[in-house]
Amino acid sequence: MADFLQQVVSGLATGSIYASLALALVLIHRSTQVINFAQGEMATFTTYIAWTLVDRGASYWLAFALTLVAAFVGGVALERVIIRPVERASILTIVMVTIGLLVALNGAMGWIWSPELKSFPSPFPNRGVDVGGVTISLQDVGVLGVTVVVVALLYVFFRYTKLGLAMRAAAVAPDASRLAGVRVSWMLALGWGLAAVLGAVSGMMVAPSVFLEPNMMQVVVIYAFAAAVLGGINSPVGAIVGGLAIGVTINLIGTYADFLGPELNLPVALLILLAVLLVRPSGLFDRVVVQRV
Amino acid sequence: MAGRRLAVRLAGLGLAVAVVALLPRLISEYRAFQLTYVGIYFIAILGLNILTGYSGQISLGHGAFMALGAYTTAVLTFHAGWRDLWTIPVAGLVAGAAGFLFGFPALRFSGVYLALATFAVAVATPSVLKRFPGLTGGSGGLVLDLPVAPFGLPLSPSDWLYYLTWAIALVLLTAAWLLLRGRVGRAFRAIRSSEVAAVSSGVNLAAYKTFAFGVSAAYAGVAGSLLAIAIAFVNPDTFPVSLSILILTGAVVGGLGALVGVAIGALFIEFLPIYAADVSNQAPAVIYGVVLIAVMFLLPTGAAGLLRRLLFPVTRRL
Amino acid sequence: MSKKLLLAAVVALTSLTVALPGAFGKTAAGTTTAADPGLTARTITLGGTFPLSGPVSRYAPIAFGMKAYFSYINARRGNDGKRGVYGRQIIWKFVDDQYNPAQTVQLTRQLVEQDRVFATVGALGTEHQQAVQSYLNQRKVPQLLVSTGAATWGRDYQKNPYSVGWQPDYISEGRLYGQHIVQTKPDAKIGILFQNDDYGRDYIEGLEAGLGARRSQIIERQGVESTSTDVRAQLARLRASGADTFAIFVTPTLAIGALVVADALNWRPQIYLNSVSATDSFIGVATARGGNDATDGVISATYLKDPANPKWANDAGMKQFKRLQAKYYPQGNPNDQLILYGMAKAQTTVQILLLAGKNPTRASVLRAAQRLNFVNPFLLPGVRVKTSATDRFLISQQTLLRHQNGTWNEFGNLIEGRPGGR
């Protein structure tokens, strides 16, 4: 039982990393109907910025904060420069543009920072605390904590501020919002900025465990996609639940179903995802859109 | 009018066939090998075009079908001692069957969800291949015999591969063209523009969509089989997710929904990374990504769109 | 009508020719020359495929380390007063195969048929080099000093005489650990975390060989995919099995994860860590995260000097390494042992070329590779690069190290990893 709880707790921690990246994906899709395939590379890129700041002597939390600012600016800039021109084009064109962004960012990181592995600091000590027979890692608690705080702040922002309301309106009813005076296209850019911030958090939380290198987020982003789709591509709550669920499930599969062999962790998770989608094609939390003909 | 367009197309095709047939006389062996890769990509892009360009279903997982075809060839030659040539149609059938079966659950997914589902398949493929090392050779893969022209034909291995690949490409191109100009093609186009309208016109959505998946996957399987023969080796690293993305890139750059640009797309994805690497040893990916974005900005209908505009200006279409 | 036809023809032809620059005019199969390709009076061209981008791009510094050393050789005057090797400048052409064998095959053909390299050197990837092995041997192009520890490169020389390995193979390293366990803790209960491919399995094979009859004491094996990022589940099971000895045979990222997680779980077995993951730049991270508790007592093996270890600061070989790295690859990390690995390999290459004589041929280079017996400034003192007609393992000696208070200390003697020279 203790073993089980331990796996659940560490699953929640990794799940929270998937959740924040999934939230970023949902944020962008909700506002711009775009699946941003480059979300993972954007997250890694901002993590490299954080690394550079720490390398130059900044304290961890200062670097953290500055990186979030840089991520926000970068996200807005990317939307304005790269996505805006193809906003009205077909899905496929936009998909290809984000893929081009993915490839370019990945190459740029290897070029600027060299592909060798770099270590990334963590503000949380690597100790375990004993809680009723279960060893809980402080790192895991810290990661969960940071994610909760960031998500809570975002929630407050969207629910209780005017800007947040404007952004939500722009996503759901762009034409009506325009009539109400909302500058819709800037709301979309803000959406990208916030998504980049979420990605940066995700990256900085995962980097201490896996080493910083250009491909760091590639596996994480796959789980994040799965989480976003599982929860419903337009549902923020779904993204969080999906991320946590996937984190826990993968851990449990690894522990209790190891007859499958380590190779099948990822495929089984994806299979479960596909199975869920077959039953609920819009994901667990998204409202099913019924098209009347 | 239609006759004129047909004549132009046939002339262009005839010219292209002549050029392709004569090229090995003029170029080095290793260039011929590169053009074999172009031929393999050509076939895969053709398949993807049928699925995404014509029937409107996005697939980010065609690398997985290529892997299936490649491993079919590898397993048959390695474990069962087949002659590599005969494995090609089998590879196509196996991949086609898998694609057809995948088409059923795919019916439930639309647009972005389908893209993600196929992406998931592509991601999962290397892991699944490693799971059965007895059959697939696991992560080490299977080493096959170097290709040799069969029946004692006096061709160097590179030339043999080149002609084999492009001959199959021509056959598959013709098959695709015949398929797409008939009822099937019309049904696909109807589905792509509006599924609802297609259904109300009596098109059996499920049948055509799964058929499209099957055919498309079969093409990818043949391409994968040829790749395995060409490099005489398969392992999971040969079919990463980036391969699926590469094929999709080729299809989009060539122009979706048109056959005339497929060769351009194939040339693009084979040679651009090589030239980008020449420009800068360290940042070919950056150049590749930027060029891709630029092409999407400037030429979203791809090379086919450009060619159409050059050859058949709008005024004439009336 | 005819104008349209003409336009169509022109467009088709142009698009094909524009996309194939340089294709026309080349004669097929190349010209025959008396000397081997890649060799002129002034130059010798060497090539190799490396993962400069893609899933294992972290190994890219190897190619740059080689470049740094070759640049040094090209600039300095040797014993004969000439720059380069007997007056020939080394042209080092390394290309990015992204760790994809389909690219390796294509690019290797490019290196051989277009760039006309004299030999491939140091190319990376066990499967990738296996994919091109038949081709290179068929074409009689030396496939030198491949960057992989699979035993087949030293073992199977009769089948593939043009292929030559370099580093101690994983099997012999695993054997060292097995033998050490038998000597120091014969009743050990052993758990293994292994990477689920030939890399990991070779290590296990060696470990079992070293344990001999005691291999049944391996009570738990947990596999992990190289693309995985999390080893917590495996560590939990290993700990639960009651093992008191723990062998880690995975790549650096996962290895560090394993050390850190073991520490977080308060599990303190005797740990054996494979050499690739043991360099200071990697294990230092585990120490930083978990304190000395996480890494004290860990045992590994090595044959290279470690640039991150201050005790080599005054060593001539290390000083040369730091000098060359600063001059020719300043964007690299001066503590990165992969760069040193590349330089050591390049040094070996130069020695082989020197031994092959003033007018080398591919055949004479291969013969030279069977007569080696020299010291390499980047390898540990006492390690000799040594081969014979029947012993094709260039480097087979290693020493065991123990990690304590943030540094590695060698203990015991240099051990011959392949007793009997086989």
Side-chain angles (χ1 to χ4, degrees), chain B residues 4 7-8 11 15 23 26-27 29-31 33-35 37 130 139-140 146 158 231 233 235 237-238 240 264 267 270-271 275 281-282 307 311, chain C residues 1 4-5 8-9 11 15 19-21 23-24 26 28 52 94 99-102 105-106 109-110 113-114 127 131 134-135 138-139 197-198 225 331:
Chain B
R4 196 173 297 165
V8 171
L15 190 68
L23 222 41
L26 299 166
I27 59 177
E29 249 188 272
Y30 124 84
R31 281 271 186 236
F33 193 72
Q34 284 184 319
L35 291 179
Y37 271 61
K130 290 186 205 178
S139 56
L146 285 181
S158 304
I231 63 179
F233 180 77
N235 89 334
D237 289 320
T238 317
I264 311 249
L267 285 165
E270 167 68 8
F271 287 106
Y275 294 128
N281 203 330
Q282 293 208 257
L307 281 173
L311 293 178
Chain C
M1 168 76 175
K4 278 279 181 278
L5 208 57
V11 169
S15 51
L20 299 172
F24 292 99
K26 270 206 161 57
L52 302 180
F94 59 100
Y99 207 62
N100 182 338
V105 169
Q106 218 192 151
R109 283 181 180 243
Q110 176 184 313
E113 298 177 37
Q114 186 191 48
E127 296 84 22
S134 309
Y135 169 77
Q138 218 183 52
R139 290 240 168 181
D197 56 19
D198 285 342
E225 282 296 291
Q331 61 268 50

Coordinates of all heavy atoms in Angstrom, one line a residue, chain B residues 4 7-8 11 15 23 26-27 29-31 33-35 37 130 139-140 146 158 231 233 235 237-238 240 264 267 270-271 275 281-282 307 311, chain C residues 1 4-5 8-9 11 15 19-21 23-24 26 28 52 94 99-102 105-106 109-110 113-114 127 131 134-135 138-139 197-198 225 331:
Chain B
R4 N -7.0 19.4 -73.9 CA -5.7 20.1 -73.9 C -5.0 19.9 -72.6 O -3.8 19.7 -72.6 CB -6.1 21.6 -74.1 CG -4.9 22.5 -74.5 CD -5.4 23.9 -74.8 NE -6.3 23.9 -75.9 CZ -7.1 24.9 -76.3 NH1 -7.1 26.0 -75.5 NH2 -7.9 24.9 -77.3
A7 N -3.4 16.6 -72.5 CA -2.3 16.5 -73.4 C -1.0 17.1 -72.8 O 0.1 16.6 -72.8 CB -2.6 17.2 -74.8
V8 N -1.2 18.3 -72.2 CA -0.1 18.9 -71.5 C 0.5 18.0 -70.4 O 1.7 17.9 -70.3 CB -0.5 20.3 -70.9 CG1 0.6 20.9 -70.0 CG2 -0.9 21.3 -72.0
A11 N 2.3 15.1 -71.8 CA 3.6 15.5 -72.4 C 4.6 15.7 -71.2 O 5.7 15.3 -71.3 CB 3.4 16.8 -73.2
L15 N 8.0 13.5 -70.6 CA 9.3 14.2 -70.5 C 10.0 13.7 -69.2 O 11.2 13.4 -69.2 CB 9.1 15.7 -70.6 CG 10.4 16.4 -70.7 CD1 11.0 16.2 -72.1 CD2 10.2 17.9 -70.5
L23 N 18.8 9.6 -66.6 CA 19.6 10.2 -65.6 C 20.8 9.4 -65.1 O 21.9 9.9 -65.1 CB 18.8 10.6 -64.4 CG 19.0 12.0 -63.8 CD1 19.3 13.1 -64.8 CD2 17.8 12.4 -62.9
L26 N 24.1 9.8 -66.7 CA 24.8 11.1 -66.6 C 25.3 11.4 -65.2 O 26.2 12.3 -65.1 CB 23.9 12.2 -67.0 CG 23.3 12.1 -68.4 CD1 22.1 13.1 -68.6 CD2 24.4 12.4 -69.4
I27 N 24.8 10.8 -64.2 CA 25.2 11.2 -62.9 C 26.0 10.1 -62.1 O 26.0 8.9 -62.6 CB 24.0 11.6 -62.0 CG1 23.0 10.4 -61.9 CG2 23.3 12.8 -62.6 CD1 21.9 10.6 -61.1
E29 N 27.1 7.4 -59.2 CA 26.4 6.4 -58.5 C 25.7 6.9 -57.2 O 24.6 6.5 -56.9 CB 27.4 5.3 -58.1 CG 27.2 4.0 -58.8 CD 28.1 2.9 -58.3 OE1 29.3 2.8 -58.7 OE2 27.6 2.2 -57.4
Y30 N 26.5 7.7 -56.5 CA 25.9 8.1 -55.2 C 24.7 9.1 -55.4 O 23.8 9.1 -54.7 CB 27.0 8.6 -54.4 CG 26.8 10.0 -53.8 CD1 26.1 10.2 -52.7 CD2 27.3 11.1 -54.5 CE1 25.8 11.5 -52.2 CE2 27.1 12.4 -54.0 CZ 26.4 12.5 -52.9 OH 26.1 13.8 -52.4
R31 N 24.8 9.9 -56.5 CA 23.6 10.7 -56.8 C 22.4 9.8 -57.1 O 21.3 10.1 -56.8 CB 23.9 11.6 -58.0 CG 24.7 12.8 -57.6 CD 23.8 14.0 -57.2 NE 24.6 15.2 -57.0 CZ 24.7 15.9 -55.9 NH1 23.9 15.5 -54.9 NH2 25.4 16.9 -55.8
F33 N 21.9 7.0 -55.9 CA 21.4 6.5 -54.7 C 20.5 7.5 -54.0 O 19.4 7.2 -53.4 CB 22.6 6.1 -53.8 CG 22.2 5.3 -52.6 CD1 21.8 4.0 -52.7 CD2 22.3 5.9 -51.3 CE1 21.5 3.3 -51.5 CE2 21.9 5.2 -50.2 CZ 21.5 3.9 -50.3
Q34 N 20.9 8.8 -54.0 CA 20.1 9.9 -53.5 C 18.8 10.0 -54.2 O 17.7 10.2 -53.5 CB 20.8 11.2 -53.6 CG 21.9 11.4 -52.6 CD 22.5 12.8 -52.7 OE1 22.7 13.3 -53.7 NE2 22.8 13.3 -51.5
L35 N 18.8 9.8 -55.5 CA 17.5 9.9 -56.2 C 16.6 8.7 -56.0 O 15.4 8.8 -56.1 CB 17.8 10.0 -57.7 CG 18.4 11.4 -58.1 CD1 18.7 11.4 -59.6 CD2 17.5 12.5 -57.7
Y37 N 16.3 7.5 -52.9 CA 15.6 8.0 -51.8 C 14.5 9.0 -52.2 O 13.4 8.9 -51.6 CB 16.6 8.8 -50.9 CG 17.3 8.0 -49.8 CD1 18.2 7.0 -50.2 CD2 17.2 8.3 -48.5 CE1 18.8 6.2 -49.2 CE2 17.8 7.6 -47.5 CZ 18.6 6.5 -47.9 OH 19.3 5.8 -46.9
K130 N 10.7 -2.5 -30.6 CA 11.7 -3.0 -29.7 C 11.2 -4.1 -28.8 O 12.0 -4.9 -28.3 CB 12.3 -1.9 -28.8 CG 13.1 -0.9 -29.6 CD 13.7 0.1 -28.6 CE 14.0 1.4 -29.3 NZ 14.6 2.4 -28.4
S139 N 16.3 -3.3 -30.7 CA 16.8 -2.0 -31.0 C 18.0 -2.2 -32.0 O 18.4 -1.3 -32.7 CB 17.3 -1.3 -29.8 OG 18.2 -2.2 -29.1
G140 N 18.6 -3.4 -32.0 CA 19.7 -3.6 -32.9 C 19.3 -3.7 -34.3 O 20.1 -3.5 -35.3
L146 N 23.3 -6.9 -48.9 CA 23.3 -5.7 -49.8 C 22.6 -6.0 -51.1 O 22.6 -7.1 -51.6 CB 24.8 -5.4 -50.1 CG 25.6 -4.7 -49.0 CD1 27.0 -4.5 -49.5 CD2 25.0 -3.4 -48.6
S158 N 23.4 0.3 -57.3 CA 22.7 1.7 -57.3 C 21.8 1.8 -58.4 O 20.6 2.3 -58.2 CB 23.7 2.8 -57.3 OG 24.7 2.7 -56.3
I231 N 18.8 0.3 -48.0 CA 19.8 0.5 -47.0 C 20.3 -0.8 -46.4 O 21.2 -0.9 -45.6 CB 19.5 1.5 -45.9 CG1 18.3 1.0 -45.1 CG2 19.2 2.9 -46.5 CD1 17.9 2.0 -44.0
F233 N 19.1 -2.6 -44.2 CA 19.1 -2.6 -42.7 C 17.8 -2.0 -42.2 O 17.2 -1.1 -42.8 CB 20.3 -1.7 -42.2 CG 20.4 -1.6 -40.8 CD1 20.9 -2.7 -40.0 CD2 20.0 -0.5 -40.1 CE1 21.1 -2.6 -38.6 CE2 20.1 -0.4 -38.7 CZ 20.7 -1.4 -38.0
N235 N 16.1 -0.7 -38.3 CA 16.0 -0.7 -36.9 C 15.1 0.4 -36.5 O 14.7 1.2 -37.3 CB 17.4 -0.7 -36.2 CG 17.9 0.7 -36.0 OD1 17.5 1.6 -36.7 ND2 18.8 0.8 -35.1
D237 N 15.4 3.1 -34.9 CA 15.9 4.5 -35.1 C 15.7 4.9 -36.6 O 15.8 6.1 -36.8 CB 17.4 4.6 -34.8 CG 17.6 4.4 -33.4 OD1 16.9 5.0 -32.6 OD2 18.6 3.8 -33.0
T238 N 15.4 4.0 -37.5 CA 15.3 4.4 -38.9 C 13.9 5.0 -39.1 O 13.7 5.7 -40.1 CB 15.4 3.2 -39.8 OG1 16.5 2.4 -39.3 CG2 15.7 3.6 -41.2
P240 N 11.9 7.3 -37.0 CA 11.5 8.2 -35.9 C 10.3 9.0 -36.3 O 9.9 9.0 -37.4 CB 12.7 9.1 -35.7 CG 13.3 9.2 -37.0 CD 13.0 7.9 -37.7
I264 N 8.3 17.3 -56.8 CA 9.0 18.5 -56.2 C 9.1 18.3 -54.7 O 10.1 18.6 -54.1 CB 8.2 19.7 -56.6 CG1 7.9 19.8 -58.0 CG2 8.9 21.0 -56.1 CD1 8.6 20.8 -58.8
L267 N 11.8 15.9 -53.9 CA 13.2 16.5 -54.1 C 13.5 17.5 -52.9 O 14.6 17.5 -52.4 CB 13.2 17.2 -55.4 CG 13.3 16.3 -56.6 CD1 13.0 17.1 -57.9 CD2 14.7 15.7 -56.7
E270 N 14.4 15.7 -49.7 CA 15.7 15.0 -49.8 C 16.9 15.9 -49.8 O 17.9 15.8 -49.1 CB 15.8 14.1 -51.0 CG 17.1 13.5 -51.3 CD 17.7 12.5 -50.3 OE1 17.0 12.1 -49.4 OE2 18.9 12.2 -50.5
F271 N 16.8 17.0 -50.6 CA 18.0 17.8 -50.9 C 18.1 19.1 -50.0 O 19.2 19.5 -49.8 CB 18.0 18.2 -52.3 CG 18.4 17.1 -53.2 CD1 17.5 16.4 -54.0 CD2 19.7 16.6 -53.2 CE1 17.9 15.3 -54.8 CE2 20.1 15.5 -53.9 CZ 19.2 14.9 -54.8
Y275 N 21.6 20.6 -48.5 CA 22.2 21.9 -48.8 C 22.3 22.8 -47.6 O 23.2 23.6 -47.4 CB 21.5 22.6 -50.0 CG 21.7 21.8 -51.2 CD1 20.6 21.3 -52.0 CD2 22.9 21.4 -51.6 CE1 20.8 20.6 -53.1 CE2 23.2 20.6 -52.7 CZ 22.1 20.2 -53.5 OH 22.3 19.4 -54.6
N281 N 27.3 23.8 -40.9 CA 27.4 22.5 -40.3 C 26.5 22.4 -39.1 O 26.1 21.3 -38.7 CB 28.9 22.2 -39.9 CG 29.1 20.7 -39.8 OD1 28.2 20.0 -39.5 ND2 30.3 20.3 -40.1
Q282 N 26.3 23.5 -38.4 CA 25.7 23.4 -37.1 C 24.2 23.9 -37.1 O 23.6 23.6 -36.1 CB 26.4 24.4 -36.2 CG 27.8 23.8 -35.9 CD 28.3 24.2 -34.5 OE1 29.1 25.2 -34.4 NE2 27.8 23.6 -33.5
L307 N 2.6 25.6 -60.1 CA 2.6 25.1 -61.5 C 1.2 25.3 -62.2 O 1.2 25.7 -63.3 CB 2.9 23.6 -61.5 CG 4.4 23.2 -61.3 CD1 4.5 21.7 -61.2 CD2 5.2 23.7 -62.5
L311 N 0.7 27.2 -65.7 CA 0.3 26.5 -66.9 C -1.1 26.8 -67.2 O -1.5 26.8 -68.4 CB 0.5 25.0 -66.7 CG 1.9 24.5 -66.5 CD1 2.0 23.0 -66.3 CD2 2.7 24.9 -67.8
Chain C
M1 N -1.6 26.0 -78.4 CA -1.5 24.6 -77.9 C 0.0 24.3 -77.8 O 0.5 23.8 -76.8 CB -2.2 23.7 -78.8 CG -1.9 22.2 -78.6 SD -2.7 21.6 -77.2 CE -2.3 19.9 -77.3
K4 N 1.9 26.1 -75.0 CA 1.6 25.5 -73.7 C 2.5 24.3 -73.5 O 3.1 24.1 -72.4 CB 0.1 25.1 -73.6 CG -0.8 26.2 -73.3 CD -0.8 26.5 -71.8 CE -1.7 27.6 -71.4 NZ -1.2 28.9 -71.6
L5 N 2.6 23.5 -74.5 CA 3.4 22.3 -74.4 C 4.8 22.6 -74.2 O 5.5 22.0 -73.3 CB 3.2 21.5 -75.8 CG 3.4 20.0 -75.7 CD1 2.4 19.5 -74.7 CD2 3.1 19.5 -77.1
A8 N 5.2 23.8 -70.7 CA 5.2 22.6 -69.7 C 6.5 21.9 -69.8 O 7.0 21.5 -68.7 CB 4.0 21.7 -70.1
A9 N 7.0 21.7 -71.0 CA 8.3 21.0 -71.1 C 9.4 21.7 -70.4 O 10.2 21.2 -69.6 CB 8.7 20.8 -72.5
V11 N 9.2 24.0 -68.0 CA 9.0 24.0 -66.5 C 9.4 22.6 -65.9 O 10.1 22.6 -64.9 CB 7.5 24.3 -66.1 CG1 7.3 24.0 -64.7 CG2 7.2 25.7 -66.4
S15 N 12.6 22.5 -63.4 CA 12.4 22.1 -62.0 C 13.3 20.9 -61.7 O 13.9 20.8 -60.6 CB 11.0 21.8 -61.7 OG 10.4 20.9 -62.6
A19 N 16.8 21.3 -59.2 CA 16.9 20.6 -58.0 C 18.0 19.6 -57.9 O 18.3 18.9 -57.0 CB 15.6 19.8 -57.7
L20 N 18.8 19.5 -59.0 CA 19.9 18.6 -59.0 C 21.2 19.3 -59.4 O 21.9 18.8 -60.3 CB 19.7 17.5 -60.0 CG 18.5 16.6 -59.8 CD1 18.3 15.6 -61.0 CD2 18.6 15.7 -58.5
P21 N 21.6 20.3 -58.7 CA 22.8 21.0 -59.1 C 24.0 20.1 -58.9 O 24.1 19.3 -58.0 CB 22.9 22.2 -58.1 CG 22.1 21.8 -56.9 CD 21.0 20.9 -57.5
A23 N 24.7 17.7 -60.6 CA 24.5 16.3 -61.0 C 25.0 16.1 -62.4 O 25.5 15.0 -62.7 CB 23.0 16.0 -60.9
F24 N 24.7 17.0 -63.2 CA 25.1 16.8 -64.6 C 26.6 17.1 -64.8 O 27.2 17.9 -64.2 CB 24.4 17.8 -65.6 CG 22.9 17.4 -65.6 CD1 22.0 18.1 -64.9 CD2 22.5 16.4 -66.4 CE1 20.7 17.8 -64.9 CE2 21.2 16.1 -66.5 CZ 20.2 16.8 -65.7
K26 N 28.9 14.9 -64.0 CA 29.8 13.9 -63.3 C 29.7 12.6 -64.0 O 28.7 12.1 -64.4 CB 29.2 13.7 -61.9 CG 29.7 14.7 -60.8 CD 29.6 14.1 -59.5 CE 30.5 14.7 -58.5 NZ 30.3 16.1 -58.3
A28 N 29.9 8.6 -64.2 CA 29.5 7.6 -63.3 C 30.8 6.8 -62.8 O 31.8 6.7 -63.4 CB 28.6 6.6 -64.0
L52 N 25.0 14.9 -34.8 CA 25.2 16.3 -34.5 C 23.9 16.9 -34.0 O 23.8 18.0 -33.4 CB 25.8 17.1 -35.6 CG 27.1 16.6 -36.1 CD1 27.6 17.5 -37.3 CD2 28.2 16.6 -35.0
F94 N 33.1 15.8 -41.2 CA 32.2 15.0 -40.4 C 30.8 15.6 -40.7 O 30.6 16.8 -40.9 CB 32.5 15.1 -38.9 CG 32.5 16.4 -38.3 CD1 31.5 16.9 -37.6 CD2 33.7 17.2 -38.4 CE1 31.5 18.2 -37.0 CE2 33.7 18.5 -37.8 CZ 32.6 18.9 -37.1
Y99 N 21.5 10.3 -36.0 CA 21.3 9.0 -35.4 C 20.3 8.1 -36.1 O 19.7 7.2 -35.5 CB 21.0 9.1 -33.9 CG 21.4 8.0 -33.0 CD1 22.7 7.6 -32.9 CD2 20.4 7.2 -32.4 CE1 23.1 6.6 -32.1 CE2 20.8 6.1 -31.6 CZ 22.2 5.8 -31.5 OH 22.6 4.7 -30.7
N100 N 20.1 8.4 -37.4 CA 19.1 7.6 -38.1 C 19.9 6.8 -39.2 O 20.5 7.4 -40.1 CB 18.1 8.6 -38.8 CG 17.1 7.8 -39.6 OD1 17.3 6.7 -40.0 ND2 16.0 8.5 -39.9
P101 N 19.8 5.5 -39.1 CA 20.6 4.6 -40.0 C 20.4 4.9 -41.5 O 21.3 4.8 -42.3 CB 20.2 3.2 -39.6 CG 19.8 3.3 -38.2 CD 19.2 4.6 -38.1
A102 N 19.1 5.3 -41.8 CA 18.9 5.6 -43.2 C 19.7 6.8 -43.7 O 20.3 6.8 -44.8 CB 17.4 6.0 -43.4
V105 N 23.5 5.6 -43.9 CA 23.9 4.9 -45.1 C 24.1 5.9 -46.2 O 25.0 5.8 -47.0 CB 22.7 3.9 -45.4 CG1 22.9 3.3 -46.8 CG2 22.7 2.7 -44.4
Q106 N 23.1 6.8 -46.3 CA 23.2 7.8 -47.4 C 24.5 8.6 -47.3 O 25.2 8.8 -48.3 CB 22.0 8.7 -47.3 CG 21.4 9.1 -48.6 CD 20.4 10.2 -48.4 OE1 20.2 11.0 -49.3 NE2 19.7 10.3 -47.3
R109 N 27.8 6.8 -48.0 CA 28.0 6.7 -49.4 C 28.5 8.0 -50.0 O 29.4 8.1 -50.9 CB 26.7 6.3 -50.2 CG 26.4 4.9 -50.0 CD 25.2 4.5 -50.8 NE 24.9 3.1 -50.6 CZ 24.9 2.2 -51.6 NH1 25.1 2.6 -52.8 NH2 24.6 1.0 -51.4
Q110 N 27.9 9.1 -49.5 CA 28.4 10.4 -49.9 C 29.8 10.6 -49.6 O 30.6 11.1 -50.4 CB 27.5 11.5 -49.3 CG 28.0 12.9 -49.6 CD 27.1 14.0 -48.8 OE1 25.9 13.9 -48.8 NE2 27.8 14.9 -48.2
E113 N 31.8 8.1 -51.9 CA 31.7 8.3 -53.4 C 31.8 9.7 -53.9 O 32.3 10.0 -55.0 CB 30.4 7.7 -53.9 CG 30.4 6.2 -53.6 CD 29.0 5.6 -54.0 OE1 28.5 6.0 -55.1 OE2 28.5 4.7 -53.3
Q114 N 31.4 10.7 -53.0 CA 31.5 12.1 -53.5 C 32.7 12.8 -52.9 O 33.5 13.4 -53.6 CB 30.3 12.9 -53.2 CG 30.3 14.3 -53.8 CD 29.3 15.2 -53.3 OE1 29.0 15.3 -52.1 NE2 28.6 15.8 -54.2
E127 N 24.5 0.2 -34.3 CA 23.7 -0.3 -35.4 C 24.0 0.5 -36.7 O 24.0 -0.1 -37.8 CB 22.2 -0.1 -35.1 CG 21.7 -0.9 -33.9 CD 22.0 -0.2 -32.6 OE1 22.2 1.0 -32.6 OE2 22.0 -0.8 -31.6
A131 N 25.2 -1.0 -40.1 CA 24.4 -0.9 -41.4 C 25.3 -0.6 -42.6 O 25.1 -1.0 -43.7 CB 23.4 0.3 -41.2
S134 N 29.0 -3.7 -44.3 CA 29.2 -4.5 -45.5 C 29.6 -3.6 -46.7 O 30.5 -4.0 -47.4 CB 27.9 -5.2 -45.9 OG 27.4 -5.9 -44.8
Y135 N 29.0 -2.5 -46.8 CA 29.3 -1.6 -47.9 C 30.8 -1.2 -47.8 O 31.5 -1.2 -48.8 CB 28.4 -0.4 -47.8 CG 28.7 0.8 -48.7 CD1 28.5 0.8 -50.0 CD2 29.4 1.9 -48.2 CE1 28.8 1.8 -50.9 CE2 29.7 3.0 -49.0 CZ 29.4 2.9 -50.3 OH 29.8 4.0 -51.1
Q138 N 33.1 -4.0 -48.5 CA 33.1 -4.4 -49.9 C 33.9 -3.5 -50.8 O 34.5 -3.8 -51.7 CB 31.6 -4.4 -50.4 CG 31.2 -5.5 -51.3 CD 29.8 -5.3 -51.8 OE1 29.4 -4.2 -52.3 NE2 29.0 -6.3 -51.7
R139 N 33.8 -2.2 -50.4 CA 34.5 -1.2 -51.2 C 35.9 -1.0 -50.7 O 36.7 -0.1 -51.2 CB 33.8 0.2 -51.0 CG 32.5 0.3 -51.6 CD 32.5 1.4 -52.6 NE 31.3 1.3 -53.5 CZ 31.1 2.1 -54.5 NH1 32.0 3.1 -54.7 NH2 30.1 2.0 -55.2
D197 N 18.7 -2.3 -24.7 CA 19.2 -2.5 -26.0 C 20.6 -3.2 -25.9 O 20.9 -3.6 -24.8 CB 19.3 -1.1 -26.8 CG 20.2 -0.2 -26.0 OD1 20.9 -0.6 -25.1 OD2 20.0 1.0 -26.3
D198 N 21.3 -3.3 -27.0 CA 22.5 -4.0 -27.0 C 23.5 -3.5 -26.0 O 24.3 -4.2 -25.4 CB 23.1 -4.0 -28.4 CG 22.4 -5.0 -29.3 OD1 21.7 -5.9 -28.8 OD2 22.5 -4.9 -30.5
E225 N 13.7 2.0 -21.2 CA 14.0 2.5 -22.6 C 14.9 3.7 -22.6 O 14.8 4.5 -21.7 CB 12.7 3.0 -23.2 CG 11.8 1.8 -23.7 CD 12.4 1.1 -24.8 OE1 12.6 1.6 -25.9 OE2 12.8 -0.1 -24.6
Q331 N 33.7 26.9 -27.8 CA 32.4 26.9 -27.4 C 32.0 25.6 -26.6 O 30.9 25.4 -26.1 CB 31.4 27.1 -28.5 CG 31.4 26.0 -29.6 CD 32.4 26.4 -30.7 OE1 33.5 26.8 -30.5 NE2 31.9 26.3 -32.0

